[in-house]
Structures are given as structure tokens and as C-alpha cells.
Amino acid sequence: MRATASLLHLDLDAFYAAVEQRDKPSLRGKPVVVGGVGGRGVVATASYEARKYGVRSAMSTREARSRCPHAAFLSGRFHAYRDTSRAVMTALRDVSPLVEPLSLDEAFVDLEAADLPDLTVATVSGLAESLRARVREVTGGLTASVGVGTSKFIAKVASDLDKPDGLVVVPPGGEVELLRPMHVTVIPGVGPATAERLRRAGIHTVADLETVSVEELVRLVGRAHGTSLHALARAQDDRAVEPERETKSVSVEGTYDTDLTDRRLMEGLLTRQAGQVAERLRASGLSGRTVTIKVRLHDFTTLNRSTTLPSPTDQASTIGRLARGLLAELDTSGGVRLLGVGVSGLADWIQEDLFGPDEEDPVEPPPAVPGPRMSRSSWSPGMDVVHADLGRGWVWGSGRGVVTVRFETAETGPGPVRSYPVDDPALEPWRPPES
């Protein structure tokens, strides 16, 4: 660990939902759920108003609707999330050249590389407050929770302590006292299965874990995991901030609070991740030949399976189809706590029509990722549109040949609602020119 609290973790609060509330004034202060909107959909993010009803990420949309039927269920707009994330990462790099993005809404920052007079708690606290204000400014009002500590682990724990819109700085020497009363699940990698093993051994809190020898932990959960738990229970973490390097692969993964056992749900998650990977490939002008899935089982066994195409692709449907095929080869009956999709073997060209027309995916199209070019009969809830007379708005709902639009943007107040035939020539999908 460092001698100073110089590692900062920033986490944008309920990011996807917060962007939707920012851009849709009528939804501010109301429950918003972003993800797949159909019966087989999966929740990507829920606003804090929806979380009060028990809605959470990786929950099926069907269950989310039963818990919070009055929420706005939106399919997501990746271009808006990507552009907002870029603004945040730029603000972080203005503070320090050492920034490690973990996802669109989360990053570590090494303050030792920042231009600071010293690294006292008062100085880093002031910088963190000004950084949160800067993030609010560049994102149009989004909030971020920030933690600062002597290691990545402590900074991440600290950022979770005062959500949303909080700041916690853990002074050097206070790490172990902070951790001791916490449940063992605060430690990365301790999910339901590991927590149950530890509970059976009488280990409930980090303080309990601290009294257990490394040999006993290795016996309980395996060598790699046991060694890691022994170190982290004592706040020992020397991982460095690793800024972005040359892209060799593009991947998305998620860790889930509850072990997944429903195969359809896992297929839906992989489909969504494949769509996010495809969007990032296209945004970077890249394609790839090798599709890989990463699956971490309930016992922390991590499996990787891959397949290689004869030529590169950037199509979500192709990546998703291969990912689901790889999943079908694995036994996941005991439960899965992490899923991921990646594409490597990157190139800057694509062979068109290699596989012929894309087949329709058998599961819900991925949330928060634009799919194929929209037809006039497929208006997704939440998508941006523009009308020849009334200007910009978003799809409130559609069905039976009618699409309903609320005309408002981040710069307006709540706007009027109008309905049109789905093939009305005056209504078009809208994307920002730079996207």
C-alpha cells in the first residue's frame, strides 16, 4: 500500500438511467429502467427511484416490471452514453495522465501523477470535490461518487460508502479499521457461493476473515482466491493504475450479485454484451476475427472459450450468435457469477456479406446498443427521433401501427406528446452528427 491516499476511484451514479433522465426532463425524479424492454430482456441499469422498489441490474425485465410497473422502460442509446463517458474521461485526464477506465462509467485515477502541491488528505479531498464539480459540469448535471485511498481496493470500497453523489477519503492507517466491521462480500471476488463457504466456517465479517490463516483460506476456497482474500482482509493491495494501451481486443463483462442459473437470462446478457462490443468496434473503425466468452462459475473457476472466423466482423448478431454457441458447450448448472464477451484478432477492414443476411437473434436485442438501421415499423422506447415540424423528441411507445413521441430534450422542459403512424414521412430516427 502507498503511504498517501493518492488513488482515486470515480463511479458515475446509475449512469445509463441518469443520462436518460438528463435528456428527458419528464423522467427526472421518476423510476427509469434501461435495458431490454421485452419479456426476455435484462435490466442494464435502474435509477435510484426504481431501486427503491427492488429493481437492480441483471434482473429480468419481466421481474422488474412486476416490482415497478410504473417505471419508464427504455431500450437505451449507446451513443449518448459513449459521448458522456468521453467527456468524463477527458476531465479525469486533465487531472492526471494516469487514468484507468474500467467501463463507460467508472475509472481509477493516480493522483501521484497529478500536479498537486502535496498529497495530504485535505489536498486530495479538495481536488476530489473540484473533480466531482467538473464532472457535473461536462455531463450536464450527472453526479459521481468518489473514493480516495492508499490502494485501488480501498478507493473502490470508499466510493461505495456514500452513494449517490458522495465523497469518502480514507486516510493512511485507517484502512483495516474501516474494513473490519464490513461483511466479507465487500472484498472483490466474494460472491454468494464463497460467502456461503466462509459462513459455514464461521467467517462473516472482514474482522473474522483477518483471524484466519492463509493455509485455512486456501483449503476453503482454493490457492489463488485464498491468497487474495488473506491479503485484502489486511488491506494489502499494490496494483498500479494502468492507463489505456494499444487496443488488442475489445471486450465487455459483468459480475452479478446473485449467481445466474437461468440459461435464457445468460444468453440475453451475452447478446447485450455482444452488441456493446460491436458498437465499440464500429466506433473505433475496427473489426475482429476471434470471438471469446469468459465465464466465471460459482466456485470461481474461470472458463474461456473462443472461436475464429475466416474474416473479421463487427456485426452484433454474428458476435452474439457465436457467443451463445460457445456458452452452450459449458455446464453452468451450478451457477455463474461473471459473463463476458470479447473480440480479438483486430483489423481495420470488414469483408461485406461474408455470412449473408443476418439472422434474427432468438433473444431480446441488446439494450443500450443501436442495432441495425431502424425501419419505420420498429421504434424502440427511448430512442431519439426528429419531426419535420416539432423537432427533436423521443419514442414514448409504439404498437398497432402507431408511434407516440414526447417532444423534449435536455435543454427544454417536459414537452408535449403526439402520436403518428409508424410510417409517417415527417418522423425520422435522430443521431448526433459526430456519432
Side-chain angles (χ1 to χ4, degrees):
M1 297 189 315
R2 298 184 177 188
T4 58
S6 55
L7 282 161
L8 180 147
H9 179 261
L10 180 139
D11 190 3
L12 293 162
D13 299 316
F15 178 53
Y16 292 173
V19 171
E20 297 300 336
Q21 290 176 319
R22 177 196 67 188
D23 295 346
K24 299 173 172 61
S26 61
L27 298 182
R28 294 172 188 170
K30 299 179 180 179
V32 173
V33 179
V34 180
V37 295
R40 294 183 179 178
V42 179
V43 174
T45 303
S47 70
Y48 282 93
E49 295 86 353
R51 294 182 191 188
K52 293 177 182 178
Y53 295 87
V55 180
R56 53 176 174 75
S57 62
M59 175 182 286
S60 70
T61 300
R62 181 179 288 107
E63 182 177 353
R65 287 186 187 277
S66 69
R67 292 185 179 219
C68 191
H70 59 291
F73 286 82
L74 308 177
S75 58
R77 302 170 302 134
F78 189 80
H79 69 85
Y81 312 142
R82 180 197 60 207
D83 294 345
T84 304
S85 177
R86 285 176 176 170
V88 172
M89 298 306 165
T90 297
L92 298 183
R93 292 187 182 97
D94 287 342
V95 170
S96 170
L98 297 182
V99 174
E100 181 182 347
L102 303 178
S103 61
L104 290 176
D105 59 345
E106 188 178 6
F108 285 112
V109 183
D110 191 334
L111 300 183
E112 284 189 348
D115 184 18
L116 293 173
D118 56 59
L119 290 170
T120 62
V121 170
T123 298
V124 298
S125 297
L127 182 142
E129 283 289 10
S130 62
L131 182 57
R132 292 171 64 240
R134 178 61 178 159
V135 166
R136 192 176 297 110
E137 177 184 354
V138 301
T139 61
L142 268 62
T143 64
S145 296
V146 172
V148 185
T150 55
S151 68
K152 281 184 171 182
F153 172 42
I154 293 300
K156 177 69 170 68
V157 169
S159 70
D160 285 334
L161 292 179
D162 192 22
K163 280 183 167 290
D165 196 20
L167 167 64
V168 175
V169 179
V170 181
E175 301 87 356
V176 174
E177 289 303 317
L178 173 75
L179 294 174
R180 279 175 176 156
M182 294 183 177
H183 194 267
V184 289
T185 51
V186 74
I187 296 179
V190 180
T194 300
E196 177 60 18
R197 289 187 185 184
L198 296 175
R199 185 195 67 79
R200 290 176 179 176
I203 303 168
H204 305 278
T205 67
V206 177
D208 296 333
L209 191 62
E210 192 182 357
T211 65
V212 183
S213 69
V214 66
E215 292 79 14
E216 178 64 11
L217 287 174
V218 167
R219 187 188 66 80
L220 285 171
V221 299
R223 180 168 300 281
H225 198 32
T227 303
S228 174
L229 288 181
H230 187 266
L232 292 177
R234 293 156 178 77
Q236 296 170 0
D237 175 22
D238 61 359
R239 292 173 298 156
V241 172
E242 299 181 1
E244 292 177 302
R245 301 190 178 99
E246 179 184 1
T247 302
K248 295 183 179 179
S249 65
V250 176
S251 62
V252 174
E253 65 180 42
T255 301
Y256 307 105
D257 296 333
T258 303
D259 288 349
L260 308 177
T261 55
D262 186 323
R263 181 56 70 102
R264 285 187 176 182
L265 176 61
M266 286 185 266
E267 288 178 346
L269 290 166
L270 287 178
T271 301
R272 187 180 79 212
Q273 291 172 340
Q276 293 172 327
V277 169
E279 175 66 18
R280 295 179 191 183
L281 287 170
R282 290 193 293 270
S284 302
L286 297 171
S287 59
R289 297 179 61 230
T290 300
V291 175
T292 301
I293 66 167
K294 178 179 178 181
V295 180
R296 182 165 295 151
L297 302 178
H298 66 288
D299 60 357
F300 282 88
T301 300
T302 301
L303 306 174
N304 293 280
R305 296 291 185 271
S306 62
T307 185
T308 299
L309 299 164
S311 294
T313 184
D314 66 354
Q315 294 300 305
S317 56
T318 300
I319 299 167
R321 183 169 62 247
L322 295 174
R324 292 191 300 272
L326 293 169
L327 179 69
E329 301 172 3
L330 301 178
D331 178 9
T332 59
S333 58
V336 168
R337 72 178 319 271
L338 178 146
L339 282 174
V341 176
V343 172
S344 57
L346 300 183
D348 57 4
W349 61 278
I350 306 162
Q351 181 170 329
E352 299 292 346
D353 300 325
L354 179 65
F355 303 98
D358 286 334
E359 300 175 6
E360 184 178 353
D361 286 335
V363 292
E364 178 77 17
V369 182
R373 185 178 300 277
M374 298 299 300
S375 69
R376 291 186 179 276
S377 61
S378 55
W379 301 101
S380 301
M383 73 175 289
D384 294 316
V385 297
V386 60
H387 189 272
D389 297 325
L390 293 180
R392 285 178 50 198
W394 56 280
V395 174
W396 200 12
S398 64
R400 298 186 178 182
V402 174
V403 56
T404 301
V405 176
R406 182 180 282 276
F407 289 96
E408 61 183 9
T409 67
E411 291 76 30
T412 71
V417 177
R418 301 286 186 272
S419 294
Y420 304 93
V422 294
D423 57 355
D424 191 323
L427 190 67
E428 296 281 351
W430 181 89
R431 291 285 297 274
E434 63 272 19
S435 296

